[in-house]
Amino acid sequence: MPELHVPDFHLQEQLPGQMTMAHAAQLPVEEVLDQLGSGSGGLASVEAAKRLADVGPNAVRTHQASGWSVLGRQLGSPILILLAITAGLSLFLGDATNSIVIGVILLVSVGLGFTNEFRAERAAEALHSRVTHLAAVLRDGTLDEVGVTALVPGDVVHLAIGAIVPADIRLLTAKDLLCDESILTGESLPVSKDPAPVTGAVALADLTSCLFMGTVVQSGSCTGAVVATGGRAEFGRIALGLGERQPQTEFQLGLKRFSYLLLQVAIVLTSLIFIANLLLQRPVIESLLFSLAIAVGITPQLLPAVVSTSLATGTRQLAKRKVLVKRLVCIEDLGDMDVLVTDKTGTLTEGRISFTAALPAGEGVSPGALLTLGLLATEAEYSEAKVSTVGLNPLDTALWASADAAGFLPDRYERLDVIDFDHLRRRTSVLVSEDGGPARLVTKGSPEDVLALCVDTPSGVQAMLDEQFNAGSRVVAVASRAAGGMTAIEPSDEKDLVLEGLLVFLDRPKANARASLDQLEMLGITVKIATGDNAKVAEKVCDELGVLSGGTLTGAEVEALSDAELAAAAREASIFARVSPEQKARIIRLLRQSGGSVGFMGDGVNDALALHAADIGISVDSATDVAKDAADVVLLDKDLGVLAEGVMEGRRIFANTIKYVLMGTSSNFGNMFSAATASVVLSFLPMLPGQILLNNLLYDTGQLAIPGDRVDKEQLLAPSHWNIGFIRRFMFLFGPISSLFDFATFALMLFAFNAVPGEFRAGWFIESIATQTLIIFAIRTRRVPFLRSRPSAGLLGASLGVVALGIFLPLSPLAGVLGFDPLPTPFFLALLGMTVVYLVMVEFAKRWFFARTAQQPPVRPAVIPRRRPTHHISRRAARFSTPVARPLRGQLVRGGRKRKARTTHRR
């Protein structure tokens, strides 16, 4: 983690309405507002727009698709680097034909890969722009929500529990405020904050009157004035220093391991061929060029283009379903998931919570009075909440939106103090006075926690509570006591309460939830529910949906179990009820250690830890800031059916990528093994270097239709993984089978047709194109080709077109230029027969190969990838992102001129 220091006030260049945090922290609140040119009512909208034009957006990233970045990633492929080196050596050694052919391969691969990936990046950019991150801001004296990137110095913002601090802020007011600053300081304990000016030291940890961009409000609430935005904020400087690099996914690591396998095979085969040709006293340059052609020929040159095309196709399909994948390669991670832990609200239920009833606990309280107490025990100001429910939790929003709340008169009540909700206490308490009378303490929260604080609870309350839980209702308990003489309250004052009654809410199950769960089950994904609700409520919802539960674990039971015991219990249980954020993350971690790839879907503040702990974090556009920032995938519609579509798309992409890998490595290995053997036995080269590369170019071009190919249903029912051992075994079985028919072709040309070198090369060129192109129809499926598994029209047309072109070239006017001689007609009849026999033999070999125990999917290794702190910084920085290019790193923009800004943080 970078070591941070607050910059000296005099070192940082100033813009209108700006100051440094070190300076702002030491000034009284009124003077800070004065120097920022603001006031307690915030900025005027016109002034805010002017400042935004002056200082630029509050952003540290751009999600604008960059053509140069995409091109750089394409050119960084090890396979393409090998091609470029070979082209340069060929040109240096005087073989212009080889150099041109390799250059064409490079252009085709880079061009196709760039086009498809750039289109996918543009699609991701459009989706990213639809995901909004909002902040509650005072503009023109009115509280409103604006995008976080539109904040400017001088804005006055309101923050509550769970909010991500949107800029560097000087506190104006605060109540029980604790802030998690671990993303900046590495300290895991929350820091207490207070508006009082600081004196003396100006180290980051000592600025208790300030909040910093990217940190999280863990408890309490506050208002504050924005001091610094974008790259001038402390978090912004770190994010800019990290650049745009992202940690590699499992799919990318698999591609890297596959590239190492190809490199090993290419080096061994090329070295042996070159040494053998030198021992046979062949010309050195000719031997070197032939060896280089073999090295290039054994690699699937268009693999980067195939992967990019697959990702682009998947991104477009997911975009139609309103799924935002923050990184394209996360699509494969989504397909790898086999355990999904999700919250209940909005996924299994409609997510539209409605207030249904107020049930008094005794005869002395009317339903109306109980509702009034519930309205009083909210964190919002009463007059504001009656007008707008912005920033309230869903239950309080439903309470204020109810028809009965219209009669509430906020002017009758004065709130003296409040203890905000937190996930440990699970309740909110207020100290209120009615019409200037004595104070009263009102507490509202989860029934279990509130009842534990009550005295003389009526005997029928538990039965009433069970009845509501059994009906699937969400219930909040309200209790109170007299608090005469008190002007402030602490958590220790929440005692000796009298239960006033229960507030009942309803969130109905989704009509399509059952179908979505069936779809996930068909995909081999085990769905588990983690909720803060009562266990009976969760069980009722599952029962209504016809979900067979494997059991329920409550938060108390989770806490009592050791890691080993919980790991075993979590694999069986289907519902985790009344679990804390830490318990959710612990459950996710132990499920991963059990060998599963675990996805977590959540949208609340208490879901952030679990989202970070999961292999694939999934959230929704309406989620809290913390949840969206921790997620890898954001659903613009909160629907498990949409998620199932995303899983299938990820698996389809992986399946089609593996088709190309298996076909390319086995066919290429067979052809190059044949060429190596023939070059030692024959008195001439079996195929010229340029012919080898042309063969591969035609063959690979035909396979660019693979990303759009159909995938058999059984390939989607379980996740697949990179298995280098499987690829190696496949290559060493089907490669020699290909070589067997190559040798048959050699014998036919030499002994039946007495072929000269030009005829020999033409015959093998055609046979090679036909066999290695048509084998895709056998390799693309474990079923019987065509009869039980039909390829896509695009793949069929492309493959047959390549075979036709491969036959045409040795017969065309270009034959002489390419080094081919005309072939006798009987050869084509023999070719047809050999091709049919080859495909039949491959089909039998395929059945034998996949029937062996060694080829069954391996058990997933129980390995948890370690995530560095930069992983979280990169995720958090994504919310401070604009769709337009930002100024250069470390520069401030003013009046159209760029000025260098000096900072004193060091990494």
Side-chain angles (χ1 to χ4, degrees), residues 811-896:
L811 307 177
S812 71
L814 295 174
V817 177
L818 297 173
F820 296 129
D821 288 339
L823 290 166
T825 302
F827 166 78
F828 295 98
L829 295 175
L831 173 66
L832 178 61
M834 284 194 301
T835 302
V836 171
V837 173
Y838 172 67
L839 294 178
V840 170
M841 186 171 180
V842 166
E843 187 63 27
F844 279 108
K846 182 181 73 175
R847 289 175 175 272
W848 174 84
F849 179 79
F850 286 115
R852 298 178 65 216
T853 305
Q855 314 320 329
Q856 301 308 310
V859 177
R860 186 197 302 270
V863 176
I864 301 178
R866 293 183 59 83
R867 286 176 172 160
R868 306 169 74 88
T870 53
H871 181 89
H872 290 195
I873 293 173
S874 296
R875 273 183 170 177
R876 186 67 48 82
R879 76 187 314 268
F880 303 103
S881 173
T882 61
V884 295
R886 64 175 183 273
L888 294 176
R889 173 186 170 187
Q891 292 185 335
L892 306 181
V893 179
R894 180 182 179 187

Side-chain angles (χ1 to χ4, degrees), residues 693-715:
L693 298 176
L694 178 61
N695 181 296
N696 278 284
L697 176 61
L698 291 175
Y699 156 73
D700 274 339
T701 302
Q703 308 316 310
L704 285 174
I706 286 179
D709 187 29
R710 295 187 179 96
V711 174
D712 294 339
K713 182 179 178 180
E714 58 268 22
Q715 291 180 276

Side-chain angles (χ1 to χ4, degrees), residues 213-399:
M213 172 193 276
T215 60
V216 181
V217 177
Q218 190 171 84
S219 66
S221 59
C222 67
T223 61
V226 173
V227 175
T229 59
R232 303 172 192 89
E234 292 299 325
F235 176 81
R237 292 171 185 160
I238 301 173
L240 289 174
L242 292 177
E244 302 281 358
R245 295 188 63 184
Q246 297 277 359
Q248 288 188 316
T249 66
E250 186 61 31
F251 181 79
Q252 291 172 308
L253 293 173
L255 276 175
K256 181 183 290 186
R257 290 192 294 269
F258 172 63
S259 297
Y260 289 150
L261 170 65
L262 291 180
L263 182 62
Q264 293 168 359
V265 175
I267 290 175
V268 171
L269 197 55
T270 302
S271 301
L272 290 175
I273 292 170
F274 183 64
I275 293 171
N277 276 273
L278 289 181
L279 293 175
L280 292 172
Q281 299 181 343
R282 303 272 172 80
V284 175
I285 293 180
E286 184 181 85
S287 299
L288 180 58
L289 288 174
F290 183 74
S291 300
L292 289 174
I294 292 294
V296 172
I298 203 170
T299 61
Q301 294 95 336
L302 296 187
L303 179 60
V306 169
V307 172
S308 297
T309 303
S310 294
L311 292 173
T313 303
T315 302
R316 289 194 294 272
Q317 292 300 319
L318 292 179
K320 294 177 183 177
R321 295 168 175 83
K322 298 183 180 180
V323 178
L324 168 65
V325 181
K326 288 185 178 179
R327 300 175 59 203
L328 295 182
V329 289
C330 289
I331 297 175
E332 280 90 356
D333 287 345
L334 191 59
D336 196 38
M337 180 174 64
D338 50 20
V339 177
L340 172 66
V341 182
T342 178
D343 61 353
K344 173 177 61 66
T345 305
T347 51
L348 300 183
T349 64
E350 293 177 349
R352 294 192 295 271
I353 300 174
S354 57
F355 172 68
T356 59
L359 305 178
E363 297 179 356
V365 182
S366 68
L370 177 59
L371 174 63
T372 297
L373 291 174
L375 294 172
L376 290 173
T378 55
E379 297 169 14
E381 291 291 341
Y382 307 138
S383 57
E384 294 178 1
K386 193 166 183 179
V387 176
S388 171
T389 57
V390 171
L392 295 183
N393 65 63
L395 292 176
D396 282 350
T397 298
L399 201 61

Side-chain angles (χ1 to χ4, degrees), residues 153 210 222 252 267 361 407 492 498 616 640 645 657 680 803 805 844:
C210 297
C222 67
Q252 291 172 308
I267 290 175
S492 59
V498 176
I616 182 82
L640 288 179
E645 294 287 343
T657 302
V680 176
V803 172
L805 183 60
F844 279 108

Side-chain angles (χ1 to χ4, degrees), residues 581-657:
E582 292 78 11
Q583 289 170 339
K584 287 183 184 180
R586 182 185 173 207
I587 290 167
I588 295 294
R589 187 180 71 252
L590 294 175
L591 285 173
R592 292 179 68 203
Q593 288 178 344
S594 299
S597 178
V598 182
F600 181 82
M601 184 171 177
D603 62 358
V605 175
N606 58 338
D607 294 324
L609 287 175
L611 284 165
H612 274 303
D615 292 294
I616 182 82
I618 306 158
S619 193
V620 293
D621 188 28
S622 58
T624 58
D625 291 343
V626 179
K628 278 195 288 190
D629 291 332
D632 301 296
V633 176
V634 176
L635 308 181
L636 300 185
D637 283 338
K638 191 172 185 180
D639 188 346
L640 288 179
V642 173
L643 182 61
E645 294 287 343
V647 171
M648 285 195 291
E649 194 61 37
R651 293 181 183 178
R652 189 190 66 79
I653 290 172
F654 189 89
N656 280 336
T657 302

Side-chain angles (χ1 to χ4, degrees), residues 779-808:
I779 289 178
R780 61 171 294 276
T781 177
R782 296 191 182 191
R783 302 178 180 181
V784 178
F786 296 101
L787 297 179
R788 297 189 57 213
S789 178
R790 293 185 298 111
S792 66
L795 181 61
L796 182 62
S799 299
L800 295 180
V802 165
V803 172
L805 183 60
I807 294 173
F808 169 74

